[in-house]
Every structure is written in structure tokens, then in C-alpha cells.
Amino acid sequence: MTRLTSGEWIDHFLTNDPPRHKSLVMTLCGDAIAPHGGAFWLGSMIELLGPLGVSDRLVRTSVFRLVQEGWLVASREGRRSRYALEPRALPRFERANRRIYAPPGLHWDGHWTFVLAPNGSIDGDLRALLRKELEWEGFAMLATGVMAHPAPQQDTLREILARAGAEGKVFVCDAAELPGVGSRPLPELVGDAWDLSAVVGAYRQFIDRFTPLLAQLKGGQEVAPQDAFAIRTLLIHAYRRVQLHDPMLPLELLPDPWPGTDAYQLARDIYRLTWRQAEAHVMAMLGKEDDSTPPAEASFFERFGGLA
């Protein structure tokens, strides 16, 4: 590709792979709204997303649907609408942030965690909800009523069971390979449970698309605050989209080399080069509607191993 300015790169990206509007609003809520108190006026969201090709009408529709789905809660002040992250959705935003901004590198202790729901133990609606939530956390369904992962976050698993209403209704156990009985090695279960080829392909595509941008940013090209915000938002949106399908397995159980490691380093480098100017734009847009918008909380500066 011919060397582009930051604005040209943004236009090229939006033309060739325009993000889904509701999903982009979700990305913005997690990346830019949550660190600033977790609330926004509708006008601010319209201002932020306008340069990314999202019209006033599409912003309104997307936000309305996120309220219906329980991600946001709405309030009004005169003719203005204010939205905040739904408190019950906060753990899910926090889990997503851990996945996105924390470095990969889980290590395996040789054990697997199984969630077992025998026939008749839970109804069909709860079974479907639990499967959806656990699959989002990387669990694989090995058989009907049997979900497994080699290194889940115990606090996250506890939160999922509580929120789904499955506490005391399913079995959760920790299992290791039993030596001397002639079984297949437990690491081979990864190949049976997950097809990682699509995840590998998605990470490689992400690397191919964003590596030229990193070269441009390192070349000393000055990036305006609005463009820095657009780059940071599109970066996290694309990276999050890949990670949603990554089961987040321990390094010992992944193919070597694992492209997820390179993708994380690329996302980290671009984020570090754009966050400061992007924050200036976020504060300016949020401040138009609310001059009491707080600066980014301390945890924001811990993203990607630390922002300087």
C-alpha cells in the first residue's frame, strides 16, 4: 500500500471494513467512556462517532438497543439524554478489559476445569445462557452438558454462575491426567475441543492490516487529536473482535509461534503512540456536554503494561 497520512489510513479502513455501529459503540464505551466515570450524554457520543462514519440516527439506534440489552441505563434532563454503564454489566466490561489490555501469557499447571450440567439438572434456557457465557470466556463444549477450559479465571467463573443463576445447580471440578492408565495426554484435548485455525487467521489479518500503520506512526508523522482517537478506537475495535473468538489458552497448549503474542505487541505499540492525543479529543468531546467530566481513572494508565 502507498504510504498514507493518518486521515487517509482511517478513510481507507472505514471504506474497506466499516465497523458494525452497535459494536463500535460498545468498543467506545469500554475503551473511552468507562475510564471517565462510565457515563456520557448522547450528544457527546454523536460527536465522537461522527468522524467514524456513524450518523446521528445510527448512534441513537445503537444506544437504544444497548439499553434494551442491559448494557446501558438511560436518564433524561430536559430534552437531553444521558447514559451510563449498567452496574450489572460492569463485571463484563472489566473482564473484556482484562482480555484486551493485559499481556497474554497464561501458564498451565496440568489441570482442567470442568462445568457439568447432567440432563435434567437445569432447564433449557439456563443451559443455553450458561453455554453462551462460558464460551465467551473460552470454554469448549466437549459433550452435552460438559464444558471445559484448562486455565479459567476462578473469580470470573464464580461471577458467571452467580449472574446466570446457576449457583448450586451445576458441578464444577478440577481434573488432572491420571497416570499409568494408558490415557491420551490431556494437552491433546485442545485439538479435539477447539479449531484454532480461524483465530490464527484473524490474528494474522490484524497484524497485516495494522503493521503499516505502526510504521507510519513511528516515522514521526504528527497525528491530530481527532485522528488519534479514530485510530485508537478502530485499533481496539479490530483487536477486540479477534479476541472474542480466542479461547485464551495457556501458552503451553498453543501452536508455536502463536500470532496472538505478536498481535498484542502491535496493539500495545500503536495504543501507546496514540493514547495521549486521543485522550485530549475524548475529554474535549465529553466536556462539551458536561464540563465536570472526570479525567481518566488510574487504572487507565495501567493498560498495555503502562502508558507513559
Side-chain angles (χ1 to χ4, degrees), residues 60 70 85 109 139 150 158 232 274 304:
R60 293 175 186 275
L85 305 183
D109 63 2
F139 277 74
R158 186 181 302 114
R232 181 179 118 182
T274 57
F304 289 111

Side-chain angles (χ1 to χ4, degrees), residues 65-114:
R65 288 176 178 171
L66 290 173
V67 171
Q68 288 184 312
E69 294 172 8
W71 291 100
L72 299 173
V73 59
S75 60
R76 291 189 67 84
E77 183 179 295
R79 300 182 64 181
R80 297 198 307 161
S81 298
R82 185 176 186 271
Y83 298 88
L85 305 183
E86 164 62 54
R88 288 172 295 183
L90 287 177
R92 301 174 78 179
F93 278 104
E94 291 167 1
R95 280 156 45 198
N97 285 350
R98 285 197 297 270
R99 287 178 65 131
I100 293 169
Y101 306 111
L106 291 172
H107 289 287
W108 191 46
D109 63 2
H111 289 242
W112 282 69
T113 296
F114 291 87

Side-chain angles (χ1 to χ4, degrees), residues 12-70:
H12 184 271
F13 189 100
L14 292 173
T15 299
N16 287 275
D17 188 17
R20 294 184 177 181
H21 307 118
K22 188 180 75 171
S23 181
L24 190 60
V25 173
M26 280 287 287
T27 295
L28 195 53
C29 285
D31 186 64
I33 301 300
H36 293 280
F40 62 91
W41 293 94
L42 182 62
S44 295
M45 184 64 73
I46 291 171
E47 290 266 12
L48 285 167
L49 289 177
L52 292 175
V54 186
S55 69
D56 179 322
R57 179 183 62 81
L58 289 173
V59 172
R60 293 175 186 275
T61 300
S62 299
V63 169
F64 176 72
R65 288 176 178 171
L66 290 173
V67 171
Q68 288 184 312
E69 294 172 8

